Amino acid sequence: MATLLLTKEQVRGLIRMPDVITAVEDAFRAFSGGEVVQPPYMGLHMSEPGAEIDFKACYHAETERVSLKASSGGYRDNSGRYGLPNGMGTVLLFDGSSGALLCAMDGSLLTGFRTGAAGAVSVRAMAREDARVLAMIGTGNQARMQVRAIREVIEIDCIHAWGRSPAGLAAFKTDIEAEFDLPVIPAASAQQAVAVADIVVTTTRASAVVLQAGWLQPGTHVVAIGTDQKGKQELAPDILRTARIIADSRAQCRDKGEVQHAIRAGLVADVHAEMGEVLLGREPGRETRDQITIFDSTGMAIQDTTTAALILRLAQKSGIGTTFDFLASET
């Protein structure tokens, strides 16, 4: 069986945010519906300060697809030292019925898109129907991806933004206004950015708390993206005390998500539901207009599986990619 190889540029030509949002919704439903075998992911911290490589694997029984992703991040000196981005990814997609490797593809764009799509899914499921004002805490690549995804599910009036780097904040404003013709209002602090927001998205490296209790307006929906390892944190635990907390994976968020800190502090007993349970109609998302809702997003391998399977189908349909055969006999 031939294996398809897809480069980053080939993936870029195939991937579209509306399709990925659908694939991520499918992933959430499959996970909470019991169709997924997803072991805890493994995170390795490198000798380079702040650098890590994560490995995530998943089997989707309904489609007989298995994915394995290696994703690196935090290599802040890569550009100057090696001419490489500070984070990269590779996804291997296997046929579960035979064990054969179907595709090896760039995983950096896939990860960015599916993480953005997860935020958009939560907004559609949990934000108030009249939510229009966005606050971005963090202004890196994932912040841009969240805007790209969320604008697919709601109409955004304006974006208030704050980041630790003034240069990064200025670049975010320039890029978003040029790409979407959306006004970006730089804030002097995170508190100022969220003061008038309907939806708050946190996309920092989660090295310190960036949101405090009392800053959020009633009815705010929070998309918490940055915390995906033990010890990482973006939200003060008090925020979670009275909020409705929806996780991508209940078990994973207890261990590695924002809710780990609130549970440890005795402020909450657990998350209220998983996103898949909300999408399947088993649990409510938002219960009242004034309720603060939080989507604790740690990132799941099933999201990689469904998104990689989508990309493979599109590549095969379009005849894109290079094939090779690991098992070819030597002559």
Side-chain angles (χ1 to χ4, degrees), residues 50-62:
E52 63 187 67
I53 301 180
D54 297 335
F55 296 89
K56 297 183 177 182
C58 175
Y59 167 50
H60 186 197
E62 182 181 356

Side-chain angles (χ1 to χ4, degrees), residues 1-287:
M1 182 181 291
T3 300
L4 192 66
L5 175 65
L6 294 172
T7 67
K8 186 173 184 176
E9 287 309 307
Q10 288 169 334
V11 171
R12 191 189 307 277
L14 293 165
I15 198 166
R16 297 291 181 270
M17 187 60 80
D19 297 332
V20 179
I21 290 172
T22 299
V24 169
E25 286 182 331
D26 291 343
F28 286 137
R29 291 189 185 97
F31 181 79
S32 296
E35 302 170 11
V36 172
V37 178
Q38 181 177 283
Y41 71 82
M42 178 173 61
L44 302 178
H45 295 276
M46 304 292 105
S47 57
E48 179 79 13
E52 63 187 67
I53 301 180
D54 297 335
F55 296 89
K56 297 183 177 182
C58 175
Y59 167 50
H60 186 197
E62 182 181 356
T63 60
E64 285 293 345
R65 291 293 178 260
V66 177
S67 70
L68 174 64
K69 184 179 75 174
S71 183
S72 66
Y75 287 87
R76 294 181 176 86
D77 297 330
N78 264 10
S79 178
R81 294 172 64 183
Y82 305 113
L84 294 171
N86 64 8
M88 293 166 280
T90 304
V91 174
L92 304 179
L93 188 67
F94 299 87
D95 183 342
S97 61
S98 67
L101 178 61
L102 298 173
C103 188
M105 68 179 71
D106 169 78
S108 55
L109 281 173
L110 180 153
T111 301
F113 269 75
R114 65 86 156 148
T115 306
V121 171
S122 83
V123 166
R124 182 152 60 190
M126 298 171 65
R128 298 192 326 269
E129 290 184 0
D130 59 350
R132 295 288 183 272
V133 179
L134 199 62
M136 301 301 304
I137 306 302
T139 57
N141 290 333
Q142 183 51 220
R144 290 163 169 78
M145 201 65 76
Q146 288 290 324
V147 174
R148 293 185 184 110
I150 291 171
R151 68 179 294 274
E152 295 288 345
V153 299
I154 67 166
E155 182 179 343
I156 301 172
D157 288 345
C158 65
I159 301 170
H160 297 259
W162 176 84
R164 293 189 178 95
S165 165
L169 177 56
F172 177 81
K173 175 179 171 65
T174 298
D175 292 347
I176 294 300
E177 290 185 340
E179 185 173 354
F180 300 120
D181 195 27
L182 284 172
V184 176
I185 304 164
S189 65
Q191 182 176 7
Q192 184 184 82
V194 306
V196 294
D198 304 315
I199 299 165
V200 174
V201 184
T202 59
T203 62
T204 72
R205 297 261 337 146
S207 57
V209 171
V210 291
L211 283 189
Q212 296 290 342
W215 290 2
L216 302 175
Q217 296 298 310
T220 300
H221 176 57
V222 179
V223 183
I225 296 294
T227 298
D228 59 357
Q229 292 278 4
K230 287 184 177 180
K232 286 187 174 182
Q233 186 176 9
E234 293 184 305
L235 312 185
D238 277 356
I239 295 176
L240 284 72
R241 186 200 299 267
T242 58
R244 182 157 180 81
I245 310 161
I246 307 297
D248 49 10
S249 160
R250 183 179 279 103
Q252 193 164 280
C253 287
R254 288 176 190 142
D255 189 45
K256 298 180 171 74
E258 280 296 335
V259 76
Q260 65 178 296
H261 307 287
I263 291 174
R264 191 177 301 119
L267 298 176
V268 300
D270 202 350
V271 302
H272 294 101
E274 290 177 341
M275 180 54 65
E277 293 173 323
V278 174
L279 296 177
L280 289 167
R282 298 175 182 174
E283 294 284 348
R286 171 175 297 278
E287 295 177 301

